[in-house]
Amino acid sequence: MNWLDIDKEHVWHPYNSLPSRSTLLPVKSTDKTTIFLETGEELIDGMSSWWSAIHGYNNPRLNEALKSQVEIMPHIMFGGLAHEKAAVLSKLLVDITGLHSVFLCDSGSVSVEVSLKTAIQYQEAKGLKKYKFLACEHAYHGDTLAAMSVCDPNNSMHSIYGSYLPKHIFTKAPALGFDSDCSEAIEALELNFEKHHEELAGFIIEPIVQGAGGMRIYNPIYLKKARELCDKYDVLFIADEIATGFGHTGKMFACEWADIKPDILTLGKGLTGGYMTMAAMITSKNVSQTISNSDLGILMHGPTFMANPLACAVAIESINLLLETSWQERVLKIEKIFQEELKDAKNIKIVKDIRNIGAIGVIELKDESHAQEIQDYCVKNGVWIRPFGKLIYSIVAYTIEENDLRKVVQVMIEAIKTIKSK
Ligand SMILES: *Cc1c(COP(=O)(O)O)cnc(C)c1O
């Protein structure tokens, strides 16, 4: 039995069946922005492993950071013990976010869980019984149960889990488009705050780009307004920048587009440059002090692999590498190339919309029946993308070569045209 057969028989893949219903491509190795398959084929990586490999793969500095840390200390429990790499990473995160208190955990979904627990504990500390969250339609905040409960109920896995999930409040998502008028969504937001503020612990949102719930880019004015409302009603503003963080929208953090600071920020995906699973929840000093000064006085969470030193070491190197390079120029250049190349898709009959910002390019189709076909065509033509539903999109490493990026978009468009002409 070769290993791919074992995999197909015994190993779950994301949102898949066993044995696997869809094709699984055997990856042999990676380098920079190329994926090498066991079959000898090479693919240009148009996904950066779900927003994470922002520097491309096998970066010598990141490899070295990991190798040297493994000799020093691969892991140590974080209960009652401290280590330098966690402190250095946390100080870096504090410096680049302007926030204060860092909780290092395993994955994006866990950081969202912790952010919800933190918000509830904050309100409890103030003597308030506020257990609901306000979230947006089209929101995606992760796959664990509490994270799932703040995902759009009509656009996610809610219904599968019946009445298990807590019921939160959902408000109209801002209109599509960075420059679009979002006053309708703002009105709905105001109404929801007025009506529900007494039970709201927090408002959670993906700033500027709603990711897995629709790759929706929207106007920063919406965030400014939401910040005002959170202040007015003492509802915590939770920015989920697990996807948008570390430069993906052209700013280090997408909240910067609206010139606002959240009370709680979640980071993940790009945090370790795509090397290790790690996420962070970062809060203002007000939040951590309020909880620490309460009767309970502690934040009730502590995963086994909290602040894993290997992950910390590679995250430090990844952030330093980003800060030392002209990443913003590169992302702007990527944005320009996406814009130029995507134009060609606009007039294809089955295309509903094209949009892009920073290192993200999206083609939305009118219906969702073509995702697998489009993926297959792209793979056959040397490009790795992973469409979902109607969304054919690419998020690239900031180090991608211009020609490779142009090819990614051109092949995506060819794939769509092939379908149209059938
Ligand atoms: C991916 C993602 C998550 C979940 O992160 P995992 O590491 O997959 O658990 C949460 N929120 C947003 C916005 C994401 O894009």
Side-chain angles (χ1 to χ4, degrees), residues 48-190:
S48 55
S49 282
W50 278 333
W51 314 69
S52 69
I54 54 177
H55 307 290
Y57 305 102
N58 311 59
N59 179 284
R61 276 182 58 178
L62 301 191
N63 285 10
E64 189 45 46
L66 209 46
K67 281 182 203 163
S68 52
Q69 182 59 38
V70 84
E71 298 293 337
I72 302 167
M73 173 167 57
H75 185 61
I76 185 74
M77 64 182 280
F78 211 50
L81 300 174
H83 62 84
E84 184 183 0
K85 292 295 189 309
V88 172
L89 172 60
S90 298
K91 182 63 168 68
L92 259 180
L93 291 172
V94 164
D95 288 345
I96 61 176
T97 61
L99 295 170
H100 182 273
S101 311
V102 183
F103 189 99
L104 297 167
C105 57
D106 331 57
S107 75
S109 299
V110 173
S111 72
V112 170
E113 299 278 328
V114 178
S115 75
L116 302 180
K117 287 171 72 173
T118 300
I120 287 169
Q121 277 198 242
Y122 169 86
Q123 302 293 1
E124 287 251 1
K126 299 188 84 169
L128 301 169
K129 302 282 171 216
K130 295 172 121 187
Y131 301 112
K132 294 264 182 222
F133 290 90
L134 181 63
C136 277
E137 288 168 0
H138 298 286
Y140 175 79
H141 297 292
D143 283 2
T144 54
L145 288 159
M148 225 175 21
S149 75
V150 286
C151 294
D152 184 327
N154 303 316
N155 198 14
S156 63
M157 299 164 279
H158 270 213
S159 55
I160 302 172
Y161 302 96
S163 50
Y164 186 86
L165 294 177
K167 300 266 181 291
H168 295 301
I169 297 146
F170 291 89
T171 188
K172 189 180 175 63
L176 266 184
F178 188 86
D179 298 312
S180 296
D181 175 15
C182 56
S183 49
E184 255 182 63
I186 288 175
E187 264 170 51
L189 191 67
E190 284 169 336

Side-chain angles (χ1 to χ4, degrees), residues 44 67 82 91 127 131 136 152 193 228 237 290 297 326 365 368 394 403 407 418:
I44 304 168
K67 281 182 203 163
K91 182 63 168 68
Y131 301 112
C136 277
D152 184 327
F193 267 94
E228 284 171 28
F237 188 116
T290 304
S326 49
L365 302 183
E368 55 190 69
S394 169
N403 286 343
K407 183 172 171 188
T418 318

Side-chain angles (χ1 to χ4, degrees), residues 4-17:
L4 191 58
D5 292 331
I6 300 173
D7 183 288
K8 280 181 185 157
E9 182 63 25
H10 297 288
V11 187
W12 290 112
H13 282 256
Y15 317 104
N16 209 339
S17 57

Side-chain angles (χ1 to χ4, degrees), residues 293-348:
N293 293 337
S294 67
D295 288 344
L296 181 60
I298 53 176
L299 178 60
M300 288 299 276
H301 207 90
T304 306
F305 285 99
M306 185 165 181
N308 170 259
L310 290 171
C312 288
V314 74
I316 293 167
E317 199 64 12
S318 174
I319 295 169
N320 281 332
L321 185 58
L322 197 61
L323 296 175
E324 288 163 26
T325 52
S326 49
W327 66 269
Q328 206 158 13
E329 250 167 65
R330 285 190 196 163
V331 173
L332 264 178
K333 186 154 177 225
I334 290 169
E335 179 176 286
K336 206 167 141 262
I337 295 169
F338 265 128
Q339 202 161 353
E340 285 169 15
E341 297 291 338
L342 281 170
K343 260 193 258 149
D344 274 358
K346 192 137 201 181
N347 300 318
I348 306 174

